[in-house]
Protein backbone atom coordinates (compact mmCIF):
# COMPACT_ATOMS: atom_id res chain seq x y z
CA UNK A 1 0.00 0.00 0.00
CA UNK A 2 1.10 3.49 -0.78
CA UNK A 3 2.01 5.84 2.01
CA UNK A 4 -0.67 8.27 3.11
CA UNK A 5 -0.61 11.61 1.36
CA UNK A 6 -0.68 14.71 3.50
CA UNK A 7 -3.49 17.09 2.69
CA UNK A 8 -1.08 20.00 2.90
CA UNK A 9 1.01 18.48 0.11
CA UNK A 10 -1.81 18.82 -2.38
CA UNK A 11 -1.14 21.47 -5.02
CA UNK A 12 -4.41 23.31 -4.50
CA UNK A 13 -4.00 23.60 -0.74
CA UNK A 14 -2.14 26.85 0.04
CA UNK A 15 0.24 27.23 2.96
CA UNK A 16 -1.48 27.85 6.30
CA UNK A 17 0.52 29.24 9.20
CA UNK A 18 -0.49 30.10 12.74
CA UNK A 19 0.22 33.70 13.68
CA UNK A 20 1.82 34.65 16.99
CA UNK A 21 -0.08 37.13 19.22
CA UNK A 22 2.36 39.86 18.20
CA UNK A 23 1.74 39.20 14.53
CA UNK A 24 -2.01 39.25 15.10
CA UNK A 25 -1.76 42.63 16.78
CA UNK A 26 0.35 43.94 13.94
CA UNK A 27 -2.15 42.63 11.39
CA UNK A 28 -5.14 44.19 13.12
CA UNK A 29 -3.30 47.48 13.54
CA UNK A 30 -2.26 47.67 9.89
CA UNK A 31 -5.78 47.18 8.61
CA UNK A 32 -7.42 48.96 11.57
CA UNK A 33 -9.91 46.16 12.14
CA UNK A 34 -11.05 44.05 15.05
CA UNK A 35 -10.37 40.35 15.12
CA UNK A 36 -14.03 39.49 14.41
CA UNK A 37 -13.90 41.24 11.07
CA UNK A 38 -11.51 38.64 9.68
CA UNK A 39 -12.83 35.89 7.42
CA UNK A 40 -13.28 32.61 9.23
CA UNK A 41 -12.17 29.05 8.97
CA UNK A 42 -13.96 26.26 10.79
CA UNK A 43 -12.29 24.43 13.63
CA UNK A 44 -13.05 21.11 11.94
CA UNK A 45 -11.47 22.13 8.63
CA UNK A 46 -9.04 19.41 7.58
CA UNK A 47 -6.11 21.78 7.21
CA UNK A 48 -6.77 23.34 10.62
CA UNK A 49 -6.64 19.88 12.15
CA UNK A 50 -3.50 19.02 10.23
CA UNK A 51 -1.51 21.99 11.48
CA UNK A 52 -3.02 21.78 14.94
CA UNK A 53 -4.58 25.23 15.19
CA UNK A 54 -7.10 26.01 17.93
CA UNK A 55 -10.18 28.21 18.18
CA UNK A 56 -9.08 31.83 18.39
CA UNK A 57 -5.91 31.39 16.36
CA UNK A 58 -5.41 33.46 13.24
CA UNK A 59 -4.06 31.65 10.20
CA UNK A 60 -1.95 33.33 7.58
CA UNK A 61 -2.68 31.81 4.21
CA UNK A 62 -0.16 32.30 1.45
CA UNK A 63 -2.03 31.93 -1.80
CA UNK A 64 -0.58 31.92 -5.22
CA UNK A 65 -2.68 34.41 -7.09
CA UNK A 66 -3.45 34.64 -10.80
CA UNK A 67 -3.05 38.39 -10.76
CA UNK A 68 -0.64 39.32 -7.99
CA UNK A 69 1.70 36.34 -7.90
CA UNK A 70 1.49 35.83 -4.17
CA UNK A 71 -1.12 37.18 -1.78
CA UNK A 72 -1.69 36.78 1.92
CA UNK A 73 -5.06 36.09 3.41
CA UNK A 74 -6.01 35.76 7.02
CA UNK A 75 -8.63 33.62 8.64
CA UNK A 76 -9.77 33.36 12.21
CA UNK A 77 -10.31 29.84 13.50
CA UNK A 78 -13.83 29.59 14.89
CA UNK A 79 -16.09 26.96 16.36
CA UNK A 80 -18.63 25.87 13.84
CA UNK B 1 1.26 52.15 1.90
CA UNK B 2 0.69 49.76 -0.93
CA UNK B 3 3.46 47.40 -1.93
CA UNK B 4 3.84 46.20 -5.46
CA UNK B 5 2.60 42.63 -5.95
CA UNK B 6 5.10 39.92 -6.64
CA UNK B 7 4.03 39.39 -10.24
CA UNK B 8 4.75 43.00 -11.15
CA UNK B 9 8.07 43.01 -9.31
CA UNK B 10 9.14 39.87 -11.14
CA UNK B 11 8.18 41.33 -14.47
CA UNK B 12 10.06 44.53 -13.70
CA UNK B 13 13.11 42.55 -12.62
CA UNK B 14 13.06 40.64 -15.88
CA UNK B 15 12.89 43.78 -17.94
CA UNK B 16 15.68 45.36 -15.88
CA UNK B 17 17.91 42.42 -16.66
CA UNK B 18 17.03 42.41 -20.34
CA UNK B 19 17.62 46.11 -20.86
CA UNK B 20 20.56 46.23 -18.47
CA UNK B 21 19.25 49.17 -16.51
CA UNK B 22 21.66 50.54 -13.88
CA UNK B 23 20.81 50.25 -10.20
CA UNK B 24 20.04 53.92 -9.42
CA UNK B 25 17.57 54.09 -12.29
CA UNK B 26 15.82 50.92 -11.19
CA UNK B 27 14.79 52.44 -7.90
CA UNK B 28 13.33 55.44 -9.63
CA UNK B 29 11.43 53.25 -12.07
CA UNK B 30 10.04 51.15 -9.25
CA UNK B 31 8.92 54.30 -7.50
CA UNK B 32 7.08 55.44 -10.63
CA UNK B 33 5.65 51.98 -11.06
CA UNK B 34 4.32 52.11 -7.53
CA UNK B 35 2.58 55.40 -8.19
CA UNK B 36 1.07 54.08 -11.40
CA UNK B 37 -0.06 50.93 -9.62
CA UNK B 38 -1.73 52.94 -6.89
CA UNK B 39 -3.95 54.58 -9.50
CA UNK B 40 -5.31 51.18 -10.45
CA UNK B 41 -6.08 49.99 -6.96
CA UNK B 42 -9.70 50.29 -5.92
CA UNK B 43 -10.22 53.17 -3.56
CA UNK B 44 -11.82 52.67 -0.18
CA UNK B 45 -15.57 52.92 -0.54
CA UNK B 46 -15.72 51.58 -4.07
CA UNK B 47 -18.74 49.28 -4.55
CA UNK B 48 -16.72 46.34 -5.80
CA UNK B 49 -19.47 43.83 -5.07
CA UNK B 50 -21.86 45.54 -7.46
CA UNK B 51 -19.15 45.90 -10.09
CA UNK B 52 -18.38 42.18 -9.81
CA UNK B 53 -22.03 41.18 -9.89
CA UNK B 54 -22.62 43.09 -13.11
CA UNK B 55 -19.36 42.00 -14.69
CA UNK B 56 -20.27 38.36 -14.22
CA UNK B 57 -23.98 38.50 -14.96
CA UNK B 58 -23.81 40.50 -18.16
CA UNK B 59 -21.66 37.90 -19.97
CA UNK B 60 -23.79 35.18 -18.38
CA UNK B 61 -26.82 36.52 -20.23
CA UNK B 62 -24.92 36.01 -23.47
CA UNK B 63 -24.26 32.45 -22.49
CA UNK B 64 -27.82 31.17 -22.77
CA UNK B 65 -28.13 32.48 -26.29
CA UNK B 66 -24.89 30.98 -27.42
CA UNK B 67 -25.29 27.53 -25.92
CA UNK B 68 -24.69 24.67 -28.29
CA UNK B 69 -24.51 20.94 -28.12
CA UNK B 70 -21.87 18.57 -29.37
CA UNK B 71 -23.14 15.24 -30.58
CA UNK B 72 -21.07 12.12 -30.29
CA UNK B 73 -17.87 13.60 -28.97
CA UNK B 74 -15.35 11.26 -27.44
CA UNK B 75 -14.67 11.28 -23.73
CA UNK B 76 -17.07 12.23 -21.00
CA UNK B 77 -19.99 14.59 -21.48
CA UNK B 78 -19.96 17.40 -18.94
CA UNK B 79 -22.46 20.01 -17.88
CA UNK B 80 -21.42 23.26 -19.49
CA UNK B 81 -22.50 26.83 -19.76
CA UNK B 82 -25.17 28.45 -17.67
CA UNK B 83 -26.39 25.32 -15.89
CA UNK B 84 -22.86 24.64 -14.68
CA UNK B 85 -22.31 28.24 -13.64
CA UNK B 86 -25.52 28.18 -11.63
CA UNK B 87 -24.42 24.96 -10.07
CA UNK B 88 -21.17 26.54 -8.89
CA UNK B 89 -22.62 29.74 -7.50
CA UNK B 90 -25.61 27.99 -5.95
CA UNK B 91 -23.13 25.63 -4.27
CA UNK B 92 -25.20 22.54 -5.07
CA UNK B 93 -24.43 19.50 -2.97
CA UNK B 94 -23.30 17.36 -5.90
CA UNK B 95 -22.64 18.50 -9.45
CA UNK B 96 -24.73 16.95 -12.20
CA UNK B 97 -21.60 15.46 -13.69
CA UNK B 98 -19.02 14.95 -10.98
CA UNK B 99 -15.67 14.58 -12.68
CA UNK B 100 -12.09 13.99 -11.73
CA UNK B 101 -8.80 14.51 -13.48
CA UNK B 102 -6.24 12.06 -12.20
CA UNK B 103 -2.54 12.46 -12.84
CA UNK B 104 -0.20 9.52 -12.61
CA UNK B 105 3.15 8.91 -10.99
CA UNK B 106 6.29 8.94 -13.14
CA UNK B 107 6.61 5.15 -13.18
CA UNK B 108 3.14 4.84 -14.69
CA UNK B 109 3.62 6.94 -17.82
CA UNK B 110 2.79 4.33 -20.43
CA UNK B 111 -0.54 3.51 -21.95
CA UNK B 112 -0.57 0.02 -20.46
CA UNK B 113 0.32 1.20 -16.96
CA UNK B 114 -2.26 3.96 -17.16
CA UNK B 115 -4.89 1.41 -18.13
CA UNK B 116 -3.81 -0.71 -15.21
CA UNK B 117 -4.41 2.16 -12.81
CA UNK B 118 -7.71 2.95 -14.51
CA UNK B 119 -8.87 -0.62 -13.91
CA UNK B 120 -7.98 -0.24 -10.25
CA UNK B 121 -10.03 2.92 -9.92
CA UNK B 122 -13.19 2.10 -11.82
CA UNK B 123 -15.98 0.81 -9.66
CA UNK B 124 -17.04 -2.71 -10.56
CA UNK B 125 -20.41 -3.91 -9.41
CA UNK B 126 -21.68 -7.43 -9.36
CA UNK B 127 -23.95 -6.49 -12.26
CA UNK B 128 -20.95 -6.25 -14.56
CA UNK B 129 -19.68 -9.71 -13.67
CA UNK B 130 -23.01 -11.38 -14.23
CA UNK B 131 -24.03 -12.57 -17.66
CA UNK B 132 -27.38 -13.94 -16.67
CA UNK B 133 -29.64 -13.44 -13.68
CA UNK B 134 -32.71 -15.52 -13.06
CA UNK B 135 -35.19 -15.53 -10.24
CA UNK B 136 -36.16 -19.12 -9.55
CA UNK B 137 -39.56 -18.75 -7.96
CA UNK B 138 -40.08 -22.45 -7.45
CA UNK B 139 -37.13 -22.75 -5.08
CA UNK B 140 -37.26 -19.05 -4.24
CA UNK B 141 -33.67 -18.44 -5.09
CA UNK B 142 -31.62 -16.15 -7.25
CA UNK B 143 -29.32 -17.60 -9.89
CA UNK B 144 -26.41 -15.45 -10.97
CA UNK B 145 -24.24 -16.67 -13.81
CA UNK B 146 -20.74 -15.29 -13.42
CA UNK B 147 -18.55 -14.30 -16.32
CA UNK B 148 -15.38 -15.94 -15.09
CA UNK B 149 -13.20 -14.73 -17.94
CA UNK B 150 -14.13 -11.14 -17.25
CA UNK B 151 -13.63 -11.59 -13.53
CA UNK B 152 -10.01 -12.58 -14.04
CA UNK B 153 -9.31 -9.15 -15.54
CA UNK B 154 -10.17 -7.57 -12.21
CA UNK B 155 -8.24 -10.06 -10.11
CA UNK B 156 -11.47 -11.70 -9.07
CA UNK B 157 -12.74 -15.25 -9.03
CA UNK B 158 -15.93 -16.88 -7.93
CA UNK B 159 -14.73 -17.46 -4.38
CA UNK B 160 -13.86 -13.81 -3.94
CA UNK B 161 -17.24 -12.73 -5.24
CA UNK B 162 -18.97 -15.13 -2.88
CA UNK B 163 -16.88 -13.88 0.03
CA UNK B 164 -17.84 -10.35 -0.86
CA UNK B 165 -21.51 -11.28 -1.06
CA UNK B 166 -21.40 -12.98 2.30
CA UNK B 167 -19.83 -9.97 3.90
CA UNK B 168 -22.41 -7.57 2.58
CA UNK B 169 -25.68 -9.47 2.88
CA UNK B 170 -27.79 -10.58 5.77
CA UNK B 171 -30.26 -13.43 6.16
CA UNK B 172 -29.40 -15.22 2.94
CA UNK B 173 -27.71 -18.49 2.16
CA UNK B 174 -25.18 -18.44 -0.63
CA UNK B 175 -24.27 -21.55 -2.54
CA UNK B 176 -21.98 -22.18 -5.44
CA UNK B 177 -23.03 -24.36 -8.33
CA UNK B 178 -20.85 -24.75 -11.42
CA UNK B 179 -20.41 -21.22 -12.80
CA UNK B 180 -23.49 -20.00 -10.98
CA UNK B 181 -23.99 -18.43 -7.60
CA UNK B 182 -27.24 -19.31 -5.89
CA UNK B 183 -28.68 -16.88 -3.38
CA UNK B 184 -31.76 -17.72 -1.37
CA UNK B 185 -33.30 -15.82 1.51
CA UNK B 186 -33.47 -17.65 4.84
CA UNK B 187 -36.96 -16.40 5.43
CA UNK B 188 -39.57 -18.74 4.05
CA UNK B 189 -42.21 -17.87 1.43
CA UNK B 190 -40.60 -14.68 0.19
CA UNK B 191 -42.80 -12.67 -2.13
CA UNK B 192 -41.86 -11.93 -5.74
CA UNK B 193 -41.42 -8.31 -4.90
CA UNK B 194 -38.96 -9.05 -2.17
CA UNK B 195 -37.03 -11.30 -4.52
CA UNK B 196 -36.88 -8.50 -7.08
CA UNK B 197 -35.63 -6.13 -4.42
CA UNK B 198 -32.97 -8.59 -3.34
CA UNK B 199 -31.87 -9.05 -6.92
CA UNK B 200 -31.37 -5.38 -7.64
CA UNK B 201 -29.64 -4.92 -4.30
CA UNK B 202 -27.18 -7.70 -5.03
CA UNK B 203 -26.54 -6.61 -8.59
CA UNK B 204 -25.70 -3.09 -7.44
CA UNK B 205 -23.30 -4.31 -4.82
CA UNK B 206 -19.81 -2.88 -4.87
CA UNK B 207 -17.20 -5.44 -5.80
CA UNK B 208 -13.96 -3.82 -6.79
CA UNK B 209 -12.44 -0.40 -7.40
CA UNK B 210 -13.51 2.88 -5.89
CA UNK B 211 -17.09 3.64 -5.01
CA UNK B 212 -18.72 6.29 -7.16
CA UNK B 213 -16.34 6.14 -10.11
CA UNK B 214 -18.60 5.13 -12.96
CA UNK B 215 -16.37 5.62 -15.95
CA UNK B 216 -12.65 6.06 -16.55
CA UNK B 217 -11.12 7.37 -19.76
CA UNK B 218 -7.38 7.18 -20.38
CA UNK B 219 -6.16 10.24 -22.22
CA UNK B 220 -2.91 11.71 -23.42
CA UNK B 221 -2.53 15.30 -22.28
CA UNK B 222 0.64 17.04 -23.35
CA UNK B 223 3.40 14.60 -22.54
CA UNK B 224 1.52 12.79 -19.82
CA UNK B 225 -1.08 10.10 -19.48
CA UNK B 226 -4.09 11.35 -17.61
CA UNK B 227 -7.25 9.66 -16.40
CA UNK B 228 -10.60 11.41 -16.67
CA UNK B 229 -13.38 9.93 -14.63
CA UNK B 230 -17.09 10.31 -14.30
CA UNK B 231 -17.91 10.28 -10.62
CA UNK B 232 -15.76 11.63 -7.88
CA UNK B 233 -14.09 10.35 -4.74
CA UNK B 234 -10.92 12.31 -4.07
CA UNK B 235 -10.00 10.79 -0.76
CA UNK B 236 -9.96 7.22 -2.03
CA UNK B 237 -8.40 7.99 -5.41
CA UNK B 238 -5.54 9.93 -3.82
CA UNK B 239 -4.47 6.79 -1.99
CA UNK B 240 -4.48 4.51 -5.05
CA UNK B 241 -1.14 3.08 -6.11
CA UNK B 242 0.24 4.90 -9.16
CA UNK B 243 -1.86 8.03 -8.73
CA UNK B 244 -0.13 11.34 -8.15
CA UNK B 245 -2.33 12.21 -5.19
CA UNK B 246 -1.05 15.74 -4.79
CA UNK B 247 -2.46 16.75 -8.18
CA UNK B 248 -5.78 14.93 -8.16
CA UNK B 249 -8.54 17.28 -9.29
CA UNK B 250 -12.29 17.18 -8.98
CA UNK B 251 -15.13 19.55 -9.81
CA UNK B 252 -17.15 18.73 -6.71
CA UNK B 253 -16.72 21.82 -4.53
CA UNK B 254 -18.25 20.37 -1.41
CA UNK B 255 -16.12 17.29 -1.63
CA UNK B 256 -12.98 19.41 -1.90
CA UNK B 257 -14.05 21.47 1.11
CA UNK B 258 -14.49 18.29 3.08
CA UNK B 259 -11.28 16.54 2.08
CA UNK B 260 -8.87 19.40 1.36
CA UNK B 261 -10.24 22.34 3.31
CA UNK B 262 -12.01 25.59 2.59
CA UNK B 263 -9.05 27.27 0.90
CA UNK B 264 -8.81 24.50 -1.65
CA UNK B 265 -12.55 24.81 -2.21
CA UNK B 266 -12.12 28.50 -2.93
CA UNK B 267 -9.50 27.60 -5.50
CA UNK B 268 -11.82 25.10 -7.17
CA UNK B 269 -14.69 27.61 -7.28
CA UNK B 270 -12.48 30.11 -9.07
CA UNK B 271 -11.10 27.50 -11.42
CA UNK B 272 -14.43 25.95 -12.32
CA UNK B 273 -16.23 29.26 -12.76
CA UNK B 274 -13.56 30.81 -14.94
CA UNK B 275 -13.24 27.59 -16.92
CA UNK B 276 -16.98 27.53 -17.58
CA UNK B 277 -16.99 31.15 -18.71
CA UNK B 278 -13.90 30.67 -20.83
CA UNK B 279 -15.31 27.63 -22.60
CA UNK B 280 -18.21 29.79 -23.73
CA UNK B 281 -15.82 32.37 -25.11
CA UNK B 282 -16.64 34.96 -22.47
CA UNK B 283 -14.03 37.16 -20.93
CA UNK B 284 -14.63 37.94 -17.29
CA UNK B 285 -11.80 39.35 -15.26
CA UNK B 286 -10.71 36.72 -12.78
CA UNK B 287 -10.73 39.28 -9.94
CA UNK B 288 -14.52 39.35 -10.04
CA UNK B 289 -14.68 35.61 -9.70
CA UNK B 290 -12.11 35.70 -6.93
CA UNK B 291 -14.27 38.16 -5.02
CA UNK B 292 -17.30 35.91 -5.37
CA UNK B 293 -15.30 32.91 -4.23
CA UNK B 294 -14.01 34.83 -1.23
CA UNK B 295 -17.54 35.83 -0.31
CA UNK B 296 -18.72 32.25 -0.65
CA UNK B 297 -16.01 30.91 1.66
CA UNK B 298 -15.73 33.81 4.13
CA UNK B 299 -17.55 32.00 6.94
CA UNK B 300 -15.36 28.92 6.71
CA UNK B 301 -18.15 26.90 5.14
CA UNK B 302 -19.32 27.10 1.55
CA UNK B 303 -22.25 29.43 1.17
CA UNK B 304 -24.33 29.72 -1.94
CA UNK B 305 -24.95 33.07 -3.57
CA UNK B 306 -28.61 33.45 -2.85
CA UNK B 307 -31.45 33.22 -0.41
CA UNK B 308 -29.99 30.50 1.78
CA UNK B 309 -26.39 31.64 1.54
CA UNK B 310 -24.60 34.92 1.28
CA UNK B 311 -27.67 37.09 0.64
CA UNK B 312 -29.61 35.38 3.43
CA UNK B 313 -26.92 35.99 6.02
CA UNK B 314 -26.60 39.73 5.52
CA UNK B 315 -26.58 41.77 8.69
CA UNK B 316 -29.34 44.16 7.76
CA UNK B 317 -32.99 43.13 8.00
CA UNK B 318 -34.09 45.52 5.29
CA UNK B 319 -31.35 44.35 2.92
CA UNK B 320 -32.51 40.75 3.33
CA UNK B 321 -36.14 41.77 2.92
CA UNK B 322 -35.28 43.66 -0.24
CA UNK B 323 -33.80 40.56 -1.81
CA UNK B 324 -36.22 37.67 -1.38
CA UNK B 325 -38.80 36.44 1.12
CA UNK B 326 -39.68 39.97 2.24
CA UNK B 327 -42.48 38.99 4.60
CA UNK B 328 -40.54 36.23 6.28
CA UNK B 329 -37.66 38.52 7.17
CA UNK B 330 -39.82 41.45 8.23
CA UNK B 331 -42.10 39.39 10.48
CA UNK B 332 -39.20 37.53 12.06
CA UNK B 333 -37.39 40.79 12.71
CA UNK B 334 -40.42 42.52 14.20
CA UNK B 335 -41.23 39.59 16.48
CA UNK B 336 -37.70 39.60 17.82
CA UNK B 337 -37.32 43.37 17.86
CA UNK B 338 -34.27 43.47 15.60
CA UNK B 339 -32.39 46.65 14.90
CA UNK B 340 -31.08 47.83 11.56
CA UNK B 341 -27.89 49.84 11.71
CA UNK B 342 -28.13 51.19 8.15
CA UNK B 343 -24.54 50.35 7.32
CA UNK B 344 -25.15 48.79 3.92
CA UNK B 345 -26.09 50.15 0.53
CA UNK B 346 -29.55 48.67 -0.07
CA UNK B 347 -31.20 49.68 3.16
CA UNK B 348 -30.03 53.26 2.74
CA UNK B 349 -31.36 53.39 -0.80
CA UNK B 350 -34.71 52.14 0.51
CA UNK B 351 -35.11 54.98 2.98
CA UNK B 352 -33.49 57.60 0.79
CA UNK B 353 -30.44 58.17 2.92
CA UNK B 354 -26.91 58.80 1.71
CA UNK B 355 -25.45 55.48 0.60
CA UNK B 356 -22.17 54.55 2.30
CA UNK B 357 -20.34 54.10 -0.98
CA UNK B 358 -17.48 56.18 -2.29
CA UNK B 359 -17.43 59.63 -0.70
CA UNK B 360 -20.67 58.83 1.09
CA UNK B 361 -18.75 56.40 3.23
CA UNK B 362 -16.90 59.00 5.23
CA UNK B 363 -17.96 61.33 7.95
CA UNK B 364 -16.06 64.20 9.41
CA UNK B 365 -15.13 63.64 12.99
CA UNK B 366 -13.20 65.72 15.42
CA UNK B 367 -11.43 64.67 18.54
CA UNK B 368 -12.76 67.23 20.99
CA UNK B 369 -10.46 66.37 23.87
CA UNK B 370 -7.24 66.78 21.99
CA UNK B 371 -8.37 70.07 20.53
CA UNK B 372 -9.12 71.44 23.92
CA UNK B 373 -5.70 70.40 25.12
CA UNK B 374 -4.04 72.16 22.23
CA UNK B 375 -6.02 75.28 22.81
CA UNK B 376 -5.16 75.20 26.47
CA UNK B 377 -1.49 74.85 25.79
CA UNK B 378 -1.63 77.65 23.24
CA UNK B 379 -3.36 79.95 25.64
CA UNK B 380 -0.76 79.12 28.27
CA UNK B 381 2.03 79.96 25.85
CA UNK B 382 0.49 83.28 24.97
CA UNK B 383 0.28 84.11 28.60
Amino acid sequence: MKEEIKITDHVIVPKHEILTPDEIKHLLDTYKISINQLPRIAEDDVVVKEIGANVGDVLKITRSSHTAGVTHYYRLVVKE
Amino acid sequence: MIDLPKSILEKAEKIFEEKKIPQHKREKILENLKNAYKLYVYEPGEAIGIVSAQSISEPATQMTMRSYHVAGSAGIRVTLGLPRLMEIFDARRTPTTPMMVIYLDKQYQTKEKAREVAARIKEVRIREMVTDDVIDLLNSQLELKIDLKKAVLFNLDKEKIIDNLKKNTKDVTIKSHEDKILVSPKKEDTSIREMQKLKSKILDMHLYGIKGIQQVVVKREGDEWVLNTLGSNVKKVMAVEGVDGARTETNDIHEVAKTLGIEAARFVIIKEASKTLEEQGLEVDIRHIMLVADAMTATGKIQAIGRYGVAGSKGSVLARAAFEETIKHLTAASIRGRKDRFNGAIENVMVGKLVPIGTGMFDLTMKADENEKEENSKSKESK
Side-chain angles (χ1 to χ4, degrees):
Chain A
M1 200 57 203
K2 197 162 112 169
E3 60 189 292
E4 187 100 353
I5 299 158
K6 268 197 188 160
I7 292 151
T8 42
D9 288 343
H10 200 287
V11 281
I12 67 169
V13 180
K15 194 171 154 200
H16 292 56
E17 291 164 291
I18 304 172
L19 289 191
T20 61
D22 278 354
E23 285 170 321
I24 295 174
K25 198 178 170 295
H26 182 73
L27 168 77
L28 298 181
D29 286 350
T30 2
Y31 292 103
K32 296 194 182 77
I33 50 169
S34 73
I35 199 160
N36 287 319
Q37 283 174 292
L38 288 173
R40 279 108 201 260
I41 188 163
E43 179 196 15
D44 60 355
D45 194 274
V46 271
V47 183
V48 173
K49 280 188 197 158
E50 178 101 19
I51 63 169
N54 297 314
V55 174
D57 283 344
V58 175
L59 302 186
K60 178 185 182 182
I61 295 153
T62 311
R63 294 169 173 170
S64 67
S65 157
H66 298 268
T67 47
V70 173
T71 52
H72 299 297
Y73 201 71
Y74 301 88
R75 281 182 192 271
L76 174 68
V77 182
V78 287
K79 258 209 172 94
E80 217 189 308
Chain B
M1 191 59 217
I2 300 157
D3 286 324
L4 284 173
K6 201 183 159 201
S7 57
I8 293 183
L9 283 176
E10 275 170 2
K11 231 180 249 171
E13 201 63 38
K14 212 174 137 193
I15 293 166
F16 288 160
E17 290 303 317
E18 266 173 29
K19 308 254 161 157
K20 295 198 175 65
I21 292 165
Q23 198 63 41
H24 64 278
K25 270 188 181 170
R26 291 186 185 190
E27 269 163 38
K28 190 122 195 255
I29 292 170
L30 280 180
E31 197 57 45
N32 283 335
L33 207 55
K34 218 175 212 174
N35 287 331
Y37 177 71
K38 250 198 279 183
L39 295 176
Y40 282 90
V41 173
Y42 269 132
E43 285 157 15
E46 186 78 53
I48 51 169
I50 290 169
V51 174
S52 280
Q54 296 193 343
S55 307
I56 294 172
S57 21
E58 195 281 330
T61 57
Q62 307 291 311
M63 203 143 65
T64 36
M65 285 175 250
R66 251 190 272 155
S67 67
Y68 65 97
H69 300 275
V70 196
S73 71
I76 293 161
R77 191 82 51 83
V78 251
T79 329
L80 289 174
L82 199 67
R84 176 67 189 141
L85 202 66
M86 276 161 65
E87 219 170 76
I88 297 164
F89 291 145
D90 285 352
R92 303 256 167 85
R93 276 287 137 197
T94 44
T96 330
T97 39
M99 259 183 48
M100 289 184 79
V101 179
I102 301 167
Y103 294 92
L104 301 173
D105 276 339
K106 277 198 190 97
Q107 307 93 280
Y108 287 84
Q109 290 298 346
T110 59
K111 195 172 187 176
E112 290 71 38
K113 291 264 185 186
R115 284 221 171 119
E116 203 180 285
V117 179
R120 240 178 275 162
I121 288 168
K122 190 182 178 303
E123 179 179 17
V124 178
R125 296 179 184 199
I126 292 190
R127 184 184 297 279
E128 283 150 71
M129 291 296 129
V130 171
T131 47
D132 200 15
D133 51 81
V134 181
I135 297 176
D136 183 354
L137 286 173
L138 207 63
N139 303 315
S140 80
Q141 66 179 9
L142 198 63
E143 289 182 22
L144 304 170
K145 200 170 169 192
I146 303 294
D147 187 344
L148 290 170
K149 269 184 202 153
K150 200 175 172 189
V152 173
L153 292 178
F154 295 95
N155 261 326
L156 289 165
D157 51 37
K158 214 166 121 198
E159 275 64 49
K160 277 189 188 162
I161 295 173
I162 290 173
D163 278 351
N164 209 303
L165 268 176
K166 276 182 182 159
K167 239 184 267 167
N168 292 311
T169 48
K170 273 187 285 181
D171 306 322
V172 287
T173 45
I174 297 162
K175 274 178 279 178
S176 168
H177 176 74
E178 286 164 24
D179 62 345
K180 281 178 192 162
I181 294 177
L182 308 174
V183 184
S184 52
K186 278 178 185 158
K187 205 175 103 193
E188 270 173 43
D189 46 276
T190 326
S191 69
I192 302 174
R193 225 167 123 199
E194 278 172 307
M195 286 302 287
Q196 293 277 19
K197 235 185 195 168
L198 181 73
K199 187 181 116 184
S200 63
K201 196 184 149 201
I202 286 179
L203 287 180
D204 277 335
M205 209 165 274
H206 172 82
L207 203 56
Y208 184 80
I210 288 164
K211 261 188 195 164
I213 310 292
Q214 295 156 29
Q215 207 181 327
V216 183
V217 177
V218 182
K219 249 190 180 171
R220 180 108 183 139
E221 221 166 73
D223 52 357
E224 274 192 289
W225 287 98
V226 178
L227 308 181
N228 286 7
T229 69
L230 184 61
S232 177
N233 194 337
V234 182
K235 209 173 183 178
K236 290 267 174 65
V237 170
M238 268 170 81
V240 169
E241 184 92 42
V243 170
D244 186 355
R247 285 198 294 161
T248 314
E249 290 170 17
T250 178
N251 66 356
D252 188 337
I253 297 156
H254 285 277
E255 199 189 337
V256 171
K258 220 169 87 191
T259 49
L260 298 171
I262 194 77
E263 275 293 318
R266 184 199 93 109
F267 181 87
V268 175
I269 293 172
I270 295 170
K271 200 182 150 202
E272 287 293 317
S274 54
K275 199 178 87 190
T276 312
L277 288 163
E278 231 163 70
E279 270 165 1
Q280 301 283 309
L282 303 170
E283 272 174 55
V284 175
D285 195 293
I286 195 149
R287 273 160 274 221
H288 299 309
I289 301 164
M290 276 154 79
L291 182 73
V292 173
D294 277 337
M296 284 174 76
T297 56
T299 57
K301 298 271 168 218
I302 294 172
Q303 277 190 306
I305 302 288
R307 201 175 341 169
Y308 300 109
V310 178
S313 59
K314 278 183 190 172
S316 160
V317 178
L318 287 177
R320 268 180 281 138
F323 178 60
E324 267 167 21
E325 298 179 315
T326 311
I327 293 160
K328 183 184 126 187
H329 286 296
L330 289 182
T331 43
S334 40
I335 289 166
R336 289 177 195 137
R338 290 261 186 272
K339 278 179 187 160
D340 201 315
R341 293 182 186 279
F342 286 90
N343 287 331
I346 308 160
E347 54 267 38
N348 280 298
V349 171
M350 285 170 80
V351 296
K353 266 179 63 181
L354 187 65
V355 181
I357 283 173
T359 47
M361 203 177 185
F362 304 99
D363 281 330
L364 277 179
T365 53
M366 191 166 72
K367 282 185 182 168
D369 289 341
E370 276 177 29
N371 264 359
E372 271 169 23
K373 263 182 221 163
E374 261 173 49
E375 267 168 32
N376 286 342
S377 61
K378 267 179 197 167
S379 54
K380 267 176 201 168
E381 274 165 30
S382 60
K383 273 173 194 170

